[in-house]
Amino acid sequence: MKKSLNLFDTTLLVAGSMIGSGIFIVSSDIARTVGSAGWLLVVWILSGVITLFAALSYGELAGMMPQAGGQFVYIKKAFGDLTAFVYGWTVFLVIQTGVIAAVAVAFAKFTGVFIPYFEEGNVLIQLFGLKITSAQLLAICIIALLTFINTRGIENGKAIQRIFTSAKLIALFALIIVGIYYGFHSDVFSNNMAHAWDAKQTFSDGESFRDYKNLSGMALITAIGAAMLGSLFSSDAWNNVTFIAGEVENPKRNIPLGLFFGVCIVTLIYVLANVAYLCLLPLDGNVGSDSVVGQGIMFAQKDRVGTAALFVVFGDVAKYLMAALIMVSTFGCNNGLILAGSRLFQSMAKDGLFFKSTAKLNKFNVPSNALILQGIWASVLCLSGSYGDLLDYCTFSSLIFYIITITGLFVLRKKMPDIERPYKAFGYPVIPALYII
């Protein structure tokens, strides 16, 4: 494999794989679950800190074992073939392909803003209870396109990652600056923070009915845990850079640094984006209101809080601006996921734990068979359920194996005490243990 990815590329791969559509959507659900501006920000900060704890722990493993396959290799060294086999197949059947499908569906949903034919409700085929929509078919086409581009060589995937990740980072910073600027010229933020710690869970039928449940003690902790599902999903896929270690220049240095810089950048952006939302929209709202400000963050139409926030500044054109931003974001995100995931399956095949043909490189020195198989299964998952269904299953499965991998850090300290460790996990053993807890 050609080593052509530098520190800038690894940082962009981490950040680009993490930022998809979640930051523009999931804050509405978090707001309904915890019910106050302070706890909304706490959920995002906690998710960022937890993700950073994991990334710092992975840095040691990446420095020790800078081979293609990343997390699969770490688990194999710590726990053996069986655990690595289960992990690799879970990544193939659920985690990687499920996230690719979810992100592609999100791309298609927002394409419908420009081209109504691709709106979610446009059912083309209905057979034995299975509904196939135009949005799902577009999602499959996007997966096929990105898979094809990546079969033509690492330089193609790298170029797309640089262009699309840079574009969405610039656009997100612009949204943050505009939101905070407007916040200084209104009392929306101060009103939101007036009852920052009055936690309550809000229930609604989506039309007019709503009810509250005040939260404190264990009920609040449970609500925060439930709310973090969305923010952790939005912060996921940071580990993808470890899959592609075989094509990174000086991977012992660049992968740990790329993990650290990428996760820090995304966490900062996510927290500031939510501050911008709170500067533009009231947290609470009326589920039956027909105005964006009246609906607030909690009841933003279709949970599209990013679009609602932009509407305050730009009016009706906001939905097109946000749709374009999410399309850029999800396209770049999926490129990183498709690029990295195939290298994991290639590494599995080399060890006899996946289909043998996926170990082969094509004339462009990339595992095209692994790319194609990954694309086929991700396309099947596009037909399997909603964005929310895919999000729940992927996040749950992914977190289990993050815990297992970081437990492996403790195992390898005992099992391989003398191996070179160019970077040692920050705060060991406390920070890795905190992540596991």
Side-chain angles (χ1 to χ4, degrees):
M1 283 183 158
K2 183 181 177 183
K3 291 186 178 291
S4 61
L5 303 176
N6 57 27
L7 177 59
F8 179 69
D9 294 315
T10 57
T11 301
L12 285 186
L13 184 61
V14 173
S17 297
M18 289 174 72
I19 303 172
S21 60
I23 184 58
F24 309 111
I25 298 171
V26 301
S27 290
S28 283
D29 184 61
I30 294 171
R32 291 192 297 270
T33 304
V34 295
S36 73
W39 291 114
L40 171 69
L41 295 176
V42 164
V43 166
W44 282 101
I45 292 168
L46 272 177
S47 296
V49 169
I50 287 170
T51 303
L52 184 60
F53 281 0
L56 290 171
S57 300
Y58 271 54
E60 176 173 325
L61 298 168
M64 289 168 58
M65 296 167 277
Q67 302 109 305
Q71 191 171 347
F72 167 78
V73 176
Y74 314 154
I75 290 174
K76 183 182 176 188
K77 291 287 186 183
F79 300 109
D81 282 353
L82 177 60
T83 309
F85 173 86
V86 174
Y87 167 69
W89 275 90
T90 306
V91 171
F92 175 70
L93 292 171
V94 182
I95 300 172
Q96 194 77 5
T97 48
V99 175
I100 290 169
V103 173
V105 168
F107 176 93
K109 281 171 60 176
F110 285 91
T111 303
V113 172
F114 295 99
I115 308 172
Y117 178 78
F118 293 114
E119 288 182 349
E120 286 182 281
N122 184 19
V123 178
L124 301 179
I125 302 170
Q126 188 165 352
L127 191 64
F128 302 115
L130 176 67
K131 294 180 180 180
I132 299 177
T133 67
S134 55
Q136 289 172 318
L137 292 183
L138 177 60
I140 291 169
C141 289
I142 290 300
I143 292 170
L145 173 63
L146 286 170
T147 297
F148 173 75
I149 291 170
N150 277 282
T151 61
R152 311 302 288 178
I154 184 68
E155 294 298 328
N156 291 334
K158 181 172 79 171
I160 290 176
Q161 204 62 28
R162 284 186 170 186
I163 293 167
F164 281 84
T165 301
S166 298
K168 67 183 171 185
L169 288 175
I170 292 167
L172 272 165
F173 275 118
L175 167 65
I176 289 164
I177 291 167
V178 168
I180 293 175
Y181 173 80
Y182 270 77
F184 279 122
H185 293 80
S186 74
D187 58 359
V188 176
F189 186 75
S190 58
N191 289 340
N192 279 326
M193 298 306 292
H195 303 283
W197 308 109
D198 294 343
K200 62 180 183 295
Q201 192 167 6
T202 303
F203 306 91
S204 169
D205 63 359
E207 294 179 3
S208 58
F209 172 78
R210 61 181 299 183
D211 195 10
Y212 302 98
K213 175 186 176 184
N214 291 322
L215 300 172
S216 61
M218 197 63 204
L220 176 58
I221 293 171
T222 303
I224 290 171
M228 283 173 62
L229 184 68
S231 54
L232 284 171
F233 173 80
S234 303
S235 303
D236 202 2
W238 50 269
N239 64 318
N240 274 232
V241 70
T242 68
F243 299 162
I244 203 166
E247 290 152 282
V248 175
E249 299 168 359
N250 191 7
K252 291 183 178 182
R253 170 184 178 272
N254 288 338
I255 291 180
L257 286 177
L259 282 166
F260 176 76
F261 290 138
V263 170
C264 285
I265 289 168
V266 172
T267 299
L268 177 64
I269 286 173
Y270 282 179
V271 174
L272 289 178
N274 279 275
V275 170
Y277 296 156
L278 291 168
C279 285
L280 293 168
L281 294 165
L283 182 89
D284 206 347
N286 185 346
V287 65
S289 175
D290 56 3
S291 75
V292 167
V293 174
Q295 292 164 347
I297 292 173
M298 280 189 187
F299 299 107
Q301 190 174 23
K302 297 183 179 179
D303 283 356
R304 294 177 182 177
V305 64
T307 305
L310 277 188
F311 182 88
V312 175
V313 181
F314 297 106
D316 288 336
V317 75
K319 70 175 183 178
Y320 299 105
L321 291 173
M322 184 52 65
L325 173 55
I326 293 177
M327 288 171 70
V328 168
S329 181
T330 50
F331 192 84
C333 176
N334 242 355
N335 178 73
L337 295 170
I338 289 168
L339 169 69
S342 58
R343 274 63 177 181
L344 169 61
F345 308 134
Q346 180 206 22
S347 182
M348 290 172 61
K350 284 182 177 179
D351 289 343
L353 301 178
F354 202 67
F355 302 113
K356 188 176 179 180
S357 63
T358 58
K360 297 176 183 177
L361 301 180
N362 65 10
K363 64 181 180 180
F364 299 104
N365 293 318
V366 296
S368 56
N369 290 338
L371 279 160
I372 292 167
L373 187 60
Q374 172 186 255
I376 290 170
W377 184 246
S379 297
V380 171
L381 292 184
C382 285
L383 307 176
S384 68
S386 69
Y387 177 86
D389 295 335
L390 292 166
L391 180 153
D392 291 345
Y393 286 115
C394 295
T395 306
F396 179 76
S397 305
S398 187
L399 287 172
I400 288 173
F401 284 102
Y402 287 154
I403 290 168
I404 289 171
T405 305
I406 293 175
T407 302
L409 183 66
F410 293 88
V411 173
L412 291 171
R413 284 280 183 112
K414 299 290 185 184
K415 198 173 179 180
M416 304 167 69
D418 300 322
I419 192 172
E420 181 191 3
R421 288 175 168 84
Y423 165 83
K424 289 193 174 182
F426 177 78
Y428 180 91
V430 175
I431 284 180
L434 280 174
Y435 178 84
I436 293 167
I437 291 168

